């Protein structure tokens, strides 16, 4: 369970009111009608701004005004509807409690933490028990609340850390146990039916067909194994709605009660046979389907469990000069931590000592280990490969990149894609319509033939075959697998609607600086002149620029250091604004700057003109270097293009997507970069101010294009907000997840292609699921109504339809988002 502060959606009467968003696990839902019913119930609650319930992830996302309604009231409302919100308890040992006033103060402080349902503090034991929805609560928030109240605390145990998995396990056990009870008791009934068909008149047939024995076997199946359907039906009908449980309960109860009347009254009421095996087998088959469905749904939500599994359990912290292992929740910002070979990095931080190679593949999708040394950042959840290092914690708890990723995936998996509205609309009217069809079927058969039994069995088959479970699972299961698969490859979707929209784009607009290019200048060429040595040109320029803070100067120094050049001492450095730098290097008077500087100082630049003009035509900055009044050479500095940019842009064009570049840079530089990466000259929009980029995006949209904008997530915020889909380039530890619909953790442009591909694959699965779910019901209902479908076969078909839809969604796990580049070698390897 997670909570975040947000703002009320526009258009509501409480617009602008500060709200809290809570994500609650919900158990007991069986079909789309359940999720829709809970949504309606929550939305009717005073103070609730927005509510969305996801059947596949079994979660309710609620935005509410805490001044009007609290979390316990929302949980109580869900329970009043007949469902449950599983709870977990976190236990804290608290230091400093001396009296009952301390107890009351701590209980109030803990109860005020978002997500807490209740807190009890024991004065004698010095412990607090904090209740919260299963799925966990951030321990750091509880510790901070205790500290703010003036006390100290540490976690005693981490119960509820994997509440999602434990809830799923409980759900699986729930259906498995009831299914096994139904199977054991239904087998003799099935054997009796077989004996009646294949060995009529035999001793075994006589025993197994005994009505009282069948009644004794069928009753526990009906009212113990099947009790969950009766209970669910009661709460639904009491709330004025109907769902799958109502259909199952009605169909099986009709067969059971008809058979019971036959046992009790027999021929006196004109009943010559019993159908206990029909009701018992129907319930058992539905339970089997729910059991298999729960297993399959567990597989679709495996991504979050995998991400949580990355988290270290403890951290080795340096305190008072000694290393000690402490729970992860006890790590604070500023702590020094030691990471040994093979350890997981516990939290985000900055290396202060040592070096190593760190595997960040599960966070960014990049398979190659990343070298880390003093000054580099490390991300919690990454795996240290070989060396050992010490780092200072900079982000802990909910602020770590891993925690942000988990929240992003949870948000995406809990959201609804627009395409799901089709299923929601159908489900709202489906069950009442099916009940009506079943009633018409019964009356038609009974009035037309006079056979009550045939009428009952046909109506029962209609009720059972038409359960809309598959329809309700069609979209959310695919969204869950798709968003999880994206997270494994460093592609974070903020919601199912963005996952859907990415597959429909027809145009992509790229920002240039920091998106197509690396965002920092680098030396791209050194041109020696007049017989000078290349190393002398670069070495002399770097020696002078070593005293400069200008980005171009820093790029020249980095290039010289990268080539292992030793820089000579420099004297009398003078910076000349707008021109360059004058300095004394040994016996030589050196000038490094532009042509205006050389002209002012009387240096002949004729030998450098051809190289300068050529480099500037390529969009590069030409830095002239002179010594002793003579030109030594030209150093070209430019913002270099990402190595994968041309490949990614070419692939997008092959996919039928128009590619544009929008930049504030000058036209000559923009044209040079566009030519290098394969963007057509007429698709380059240059010298565009940041505030005008959004207008350019609107122009593209008005032309009929569905536009995706790719930028850095900060400077391009207006354009990102205007686009149909916005993608931000992530940088590992500085993720702009709040700025865009999709974040590319690797900062690799091939992620744009992968996001579109994954979206299209997910949409394909959703369409397949919806098609088969609708075809199943469209064909099943008339066949059952015409009497050509036995209720037992109908039950088996209904059970398998849900399983098949969920299993079809899990096939997305085989989809490789970067499959178009698996054979590529340029720009690094691909997982």
């Amino acid at each position: 369970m997670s909570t975040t502060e947000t703002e009320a959606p526009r258009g509501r009467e409480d617009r602008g009111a500060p709200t809290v968003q809570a994500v609650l696990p919900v158990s007991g839902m069986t079909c789309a009608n359940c999720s829709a019913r809970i949504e309606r119930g929550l939305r009717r609650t005073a103070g609730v701004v927005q509510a969305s319930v996801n059947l596949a992830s079994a979660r309710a996302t609620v935005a509410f005004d805490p001044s009007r309604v609290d979390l316990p009231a929302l949980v109580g409302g869900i329970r009043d509807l007949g469902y449950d919100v599983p709870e977990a308890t976190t236990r804290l040992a608290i230091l400093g409690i001396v009296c009952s006033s301390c107890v009351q103060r701590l209980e109030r402080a803990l109860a005020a933490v978002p997500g807490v349902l209740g807190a009890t503090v024991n004065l004698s034991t010095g412990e607090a028990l904090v209740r919260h929805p299963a799925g966990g609560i951030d321990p750091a928030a509880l510790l901070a609340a205790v500290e703010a109240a003036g006390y100290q605390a540490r976690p005693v145990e981490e119960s509820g850390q994997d509440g999602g998995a434990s809830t799923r396990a409980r759900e699986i056990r729930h259906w498995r146990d009831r299914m096994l009870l139904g199977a054991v008791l239904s087998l003799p009934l099935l054997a009796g039916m077989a004996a009646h068909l294949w060995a009529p008149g035999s001793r075994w047939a006589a025993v197994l067909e005994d009505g009282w024995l069948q009644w004794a076997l069928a009753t526990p199946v009906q009212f113990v194994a099947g009790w969950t359907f009766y209970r669910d039906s009661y709460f639904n009908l009491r709330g004025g709605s109907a769902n799958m449980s109502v259909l199952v309960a009605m169909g099986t109860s009709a067969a059971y009660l008809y058979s019971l009347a036959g046992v009790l009254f027999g021929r006196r009421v004109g009943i010559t046979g019993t159908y206990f095996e029909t009701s018992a087998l129907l319930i058992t088959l539905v339970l089997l389907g729910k059991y298999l469905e729960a297993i399959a749904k567990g597989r679709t939500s495996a991504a979050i469990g995998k991400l949580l599994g990355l988290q270290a359990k403890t951290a080795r912290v340096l305190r008072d000069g000694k290393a000690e292992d402490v729970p992860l929740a006890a790590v604070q910002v500023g702590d020094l931590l030691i990471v040994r070979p093979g350890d997981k990095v516990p939290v985000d931080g900055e290396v202060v000592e040592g070096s190593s190679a760190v595997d960040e593949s599960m966070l960014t999708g990049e398979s190659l280990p990343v070298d880390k040394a003093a000054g580099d950042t490390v991300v919690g959840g990454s795996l240290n490969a070989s060396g050992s290092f010490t780092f200072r914690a900079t982000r802990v708890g909910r602020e770590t990149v891993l925690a942000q990723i988990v929240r992003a995936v949870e948000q995406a998996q809990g959201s609804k894609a627009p395409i799901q509205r089709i299923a929601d609309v159908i489900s709202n009217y489906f069950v009442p319509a099916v009940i009506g069809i079943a009633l018409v079927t019964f009356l038609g058969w009974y009035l037309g033939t006079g056979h009550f039994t045939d009428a009952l069995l046909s109506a029962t088959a209609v009720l059972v075959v038409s359960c809309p479970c598959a329809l309700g699972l069609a979209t959310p299961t695919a969204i869950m697998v798709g968003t999880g698969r994206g997270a494994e490859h460093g592609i974070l979707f903020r919601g199912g609607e963005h996952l859907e929209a990415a597959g429909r784009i027809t145009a992509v607009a790229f920002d240039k600086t920091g998106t197509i290019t690396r965002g920092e200048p680098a030396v791209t060429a050194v041109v020696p002149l007049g017989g000078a040595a290349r190393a002398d040109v670069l070495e002399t320029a770097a020696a002078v620029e070593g005293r400069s803070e200008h980005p171009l100067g820093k790029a020249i120094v980095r290039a010289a250091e990268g080539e292992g050049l030793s820089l000579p001492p420099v004297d009398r450095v003078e910076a000349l604004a707008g021109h360059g730098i004058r300095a004394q290097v040994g016996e030589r008077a050196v000038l490094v700057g532009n042509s205006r500087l050389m002209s002012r100082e009387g240096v002949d630049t004729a030998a450098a003109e051809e190289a300068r003009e050529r480099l500037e035509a390529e969009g590069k900055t030409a830095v002239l270097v002179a010594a002793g009044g003579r030109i030594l050479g030209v150093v070209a500095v430019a913002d270099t293009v990402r190595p994968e940019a041309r490949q990614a842009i070419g692939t997008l064009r092959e996919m039928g997507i128009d590619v544009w570049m929008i930049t504030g840079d000058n036209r000559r530089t923009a044209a040079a970069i566009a030519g290098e990466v394969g963007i057509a000259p007429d698709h380059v929009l240059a010298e565009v101010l940041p505030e005008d980029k959004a207008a350019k995006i609107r122009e593209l949209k008005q032309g009929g294009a569905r536009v995706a904008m790719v930028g850095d997530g900060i400077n391009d915020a207006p354009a990102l907000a205007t686009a149909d889909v916005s993608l931000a380039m992530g940088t590992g530890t500085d993720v702009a997840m709040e700025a865009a619909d999709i974040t590319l953790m690797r900062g690799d442009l091939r992620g744009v292609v992968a996001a579109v591909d994954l979206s299209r694959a997910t949409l394909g699965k959703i369409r397949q699921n919806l098609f088969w779910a609708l075809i199943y019901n469209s064909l099943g209902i008339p066949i059952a109504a015409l009497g050509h479908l036995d209720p037992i076969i109908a039950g088996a078909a209904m059970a398998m339809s849900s399983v098949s839809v969920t299993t079809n969604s899990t096939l997305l796990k085989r989809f490789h988002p970067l499959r178009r580049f698996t054979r590529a070698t340029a720009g690094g390897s691909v997982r």
Side-chain angles (χ1 to χ4, degrees):
M1 205 287 306
S2 62
T3 57
T4 55
E5 289 189 358
T6 183
E7 183 177 303
R10 296 178 181 180
R12 296 293 299 264
E13 62 183 12
D14 51 354
R15 178 177 59 188
T19 65
V20 170
Q21 179 171 285
V23 181
L24 302 169
V26 181
S27 64
M29 293 190 291
T30 57
C31 68
N33 293 78
C34 299
S35 57
R37 181 165 172 258
I38 296 173
E39 278 186 8
R40 289 195 299 271
L42 288 170
R43 288 170 180 167
R44 284 196 294 263
T45 303
V48 171
V49 176
Q50 196 170 30
S52 174
V53 181
N54 187 297
L55 173 65
S57 64
R59 291 178 182 274
T61 303
V62 192
F64 62 97
D65 179 357
S67 65
R68 300 177 63 193
V69 64
D70 58 12
L71 195 64
L74 296 177
V75 172
I78 293 174
R79 288 174 176 161
D80 287 342
L81 292 172
Y83 305 92
D84 192 24
V85 177
E87 291 185 13
T89 302
T90 295
R91 192 168 150 212
L92 302 175
I94 301 177
L95 302 177
I97 303 179
V98 293
C99 65
S100 58
S101 296
C102 301
V103 170
Q104 295 171 11
R105 184 178 180 187
L106 280 166
E107 287 180 346
R108 286 195 298 270
L110 288 168
V113 175
V116 170
L117 295 174
T120 304
V121 178
N122 190 305
L123 178 61
S124 59
T125 62
E127 288 186 354
L129 294 177
V130 184
R131 290 189 304 108
H132 51 81
I137 194 170
D138 186 6
L142 299 177
L143 297 179
V146 173
E147 186 175 349
Y151 304 90
Q152 292 182 324
R154 62 176 178 83
V156 175
E157 61 183 9
E158 297 292 335
S159 62
Q161 277 293 312
D162 194 17
S166 61
T167 300
R168 187 69 70 197
R170 282 197 299 271
E171 180 185 5
I172 291 172
R173 287 196 301 272
H174 170 87
W175 295 115
R176 181 200 63 196
D177 294 346
R178 284 155 181 76
M179 182 272 296
L180 289 175
L181 173 63
V184 168
L185 296 176
S186 296
L187 280 175
L189 296 171
L190 182 61
M193 185 171 64
H196 175 76
L197 293 174
W198 295 319
S202 66
R203 184 165 59 90
W204 281 109
V207 172
L208 293 173
E209 289 178 10
D210 181 75
W212 293 100
L213 174 63
Q214 290 191 344
W215 173 74
L217 292 170
T219 299
V221 178
Q222 191 75 31
F223 298 111
V224 179
W227 178 249
T228 184
F229 301 120
Y230 284 101
R231 180 181 180 278
D232 194 35
S233 296
Y234 166 74
F235 283 106
N236 270 274
L237 293 172
R238 191 182 71 173
S241 64
N243 67 348
M244 180 210 79
S245 294
V246 174
L247 299 180
V248 173
M250 286 180 64
T252 59
S253 295
Y256 175 85
L257 293 173
Y258 177 80
S259 302
L260 179 59
V263 170
L264 296 177
F265 307 110
R267 295 185 181 278
R268 285 179 290 171
V269 293
I271 299 176
T272 58
T274 61
Y275 294 89
F276 285 119
E277 73 282 354
T278 299
S279 62
L281 285 170
L282 276 176
I283 287 177
T284 302
L285 287 169
V286 174
L287 291 170
L288 173 63
K290 301 306 292 183
Y291 170 58
L292 296 175
E293 180 187 310
I295 294 174
K297 284 196 294 185
R299 295 194 188 106
T300 66
S301 58
I304 291 179
K306 191 177 292 185
L307 288 169
L308 289 173
L310 297 176
Q311 196 173 54
K313 305 299 183 218
T314 61
R316 195 165 183 79
V317 182
L318 274 175
R319 287 181 178 163
D320 299 325
K322 295 182 180 179
E324 59 175 303
D325 291 327
V326 302
L328 190 65
V331 178
Q332 299 177 356
V333 173
D335 280 346
L336 289 176
L337 296 91
I338 298 174
V339 180
R340 296 164 294 190
D343 284 353
K344 289 179 180 178
V345 178
V347 296
D348 298 354
E350 182 177 323
V351 178
V352 297
E353 184 182 340
S355 62
S356 184
V358 178
D359 181 0
E360 298 178 341
S361 59
M362 283 304 294
L363 298 174
T364 65
E366 175 56 66
S367 59
L368 295 178
V370 182
D371 291 331
K372 301 290 183 181
D376 291 332
T377 56
V378 289
V379 185
S382 55
L383 181 65
N384 183 32
S386 53
S388 177
F389 59 89
T390 303
F391 75 97
R392 179 175 286 105
T394 57
R395 296 180 184 178
V396 300
R398 291 174 56 85
E399 301 306 314
T400 64
V401 169
L402 180 59
Q404 292 180 57
I405 292 173
V406 171
R407 286 201 299 275
V409 176
E410 285 181 333
Q411 180 179 351
Q413 294 190 342
S415 64
K416 285 188 176 182
I419 197 172
Q420 190 174 342
R421 293 173 189 156
I422 298 171
D424 289 345
V425 170
I426 295 173
S427 296
N428 284 337
Y429 301 99
F430 192 78
V431 174
V434 166
I435 293 174
I437 293 171
L439 182 60
V440 170
T441 299
F442 177 82
L443 293 175
W445 273 91
Y446 185 67
L447 297 175
T449 66
H451 295 296
F452 182 88
T453 302
D454 292 343
L456 177 65
L457 292 178
S458 296
T460 300
V462 168
L463 289 171
V464 175
V465 79
S466 56
C467 291
C469 303
L471 195 62
L473 291 168
T475 298
T477 52
I479 292 293
M480 289 174 69
V481 179
T483 53
R485 192 65 176 146
E488 291 175 10
H489 290 270
I491 305 165
L492 299 182
F493 296 90
R494 287 187 65 194
E497 64 274 25
H498 309 308
L499 176 62
E500 178 181 338
R504 302 185 190 279
I505 64 170
T506 59
V508 175
F510 287 95
D511 174 46
K512 180 181 77 69
T513 305
T515 302
I516 291 178
T517 65
R518 294 183 183 275
E520 60 179 25
V523 172
T524 61
V526 178
V527 182
L529 299 169
R534 179 185 181 282
D536 184 35
V537 176
L538 183 58
E539 187 178 89
T540 302
V544 175
E545 293 287 5
R547 302 291 185 89
S548 170
E549 291 298 318
H550 195 282
L552 297 181
K554 289 182 177 180
I556 293 172
V557 173
R558 282 197 302 270
E561 291 175 345
E563 294 187 16
L565 300 178
S566 57
L567 306 184
V570 179
D571 294 319
R572 296 197 298 275
V573 178
E574 182 184 359
L576 305 172
H579 291 76
I581 300 177
R582 178 196 295 124
Q584 189 73 25
V585 181
E587 300 296 323
R588 300 185 297 176
V590 175
L591 297 171
V592 179
N594 55 32
S595 57
R596 292 193 303 274
L597 173 64
M598 301 301 162
S599 298
R600 195 179 88 167
E601 298 296 324
V603 177
D604 184 7
T605 61
E609 285 307 304
E610 186 276 331
R612 181 182 68 80
E613 290 177 1
R614 174 173 53 83
L615 293 170
E616 288 182 350
E618 295 173 358
K620 300 174 182 178
T621 300
V623 179
L624 304 179
V625 183
R630 182 175 65 90
I631 281 287
L632 290 182
V634 183
V635 179
V637 182
D639 185 4
T640 56
V641 170
R642 293 179 184 271
E644 78 284 354
R646 185 176 185 87
Q647 184 187 30
I649 289 169
T651 305
L652 286 169
R653 295 178 67 181
E654 290 172 5
M655 295 165 66
I657 296 173
D658 241 4
V659 180
W660 294 74
M661 184 170 73
I662 303 179
T663 178
D665 214 337
N666 64 74
R667 296 185 186 280
R668 185 167 60 180
T669 300
I673 296 295
E676 190 174 344
V677 298
I679 297 178
D682 61 343
H683 279 49
V684 178
L685 304 174
E687 299 177 7
V688 179
L689 296 175
E691 56 268 28
D692 294 332
K693 287 184 179 181
K696 296 296 184 182
I697 295 294
R698 277 193 291 271
E699 286 179 20
L700 293 176
K701 291 173 65 176
Q702 287 167 1
R706 290 194 180 97
V707 184
M709 173 70 189
V710 186
D712 61 13
I714 301 170
N715 299 331
D716 302 307
L720 289 169
T722 305
D724 295 299
V725 182
S726 56
L727 297 95
M729 305 294 286
T731 57
T733 57
D734 187 18
V735 184
M737 275 181 282
E738 296 303 319
D741 303 328
I742 304 169
T743 300
L744 307 178
M745 293 287 290
R746 289 178 64 178
D748 187 326
L749 289 180
R750 289 175 296 191
V752 179
V753 177
V756 175
D757 262 349
L758 182 58
S759 172
R760 290 179 176 179
T762 304
L763 282 172
K765 284 295 177 190
I766 292 173
R767 292 189 186 104
Q768 290 172 18
N769 289 344
L770 289 173
F771 173 80
W772 289 113
L774 291 170
I775 284 294
Y776 160 81
N777 282 312
S778 299
L779 295 178
I781 292 174
I783 292 173
L786 293 172
H788 299 311
L789 193 61
D790 185 273
I792 294 175
I793 303 300
M798 185 275 290
M800 291 305 104
S801 67
S802 299
V803 177
S804 64
V805 163
T806 309
T807 303
N808 187 45
S809 294
T810 62
L811 294 178
L812 269 175
K813 288 186 175 183
R814 300 179 183 177
F815 181 82
H816 199 305
L818 297 171
R819 74 194 196 290
R820 293 179 185 267
F821 308 107
T822 52
R823 295 183 178 87
T825 55
S829 65
V830 181
R831 281 210 315 157

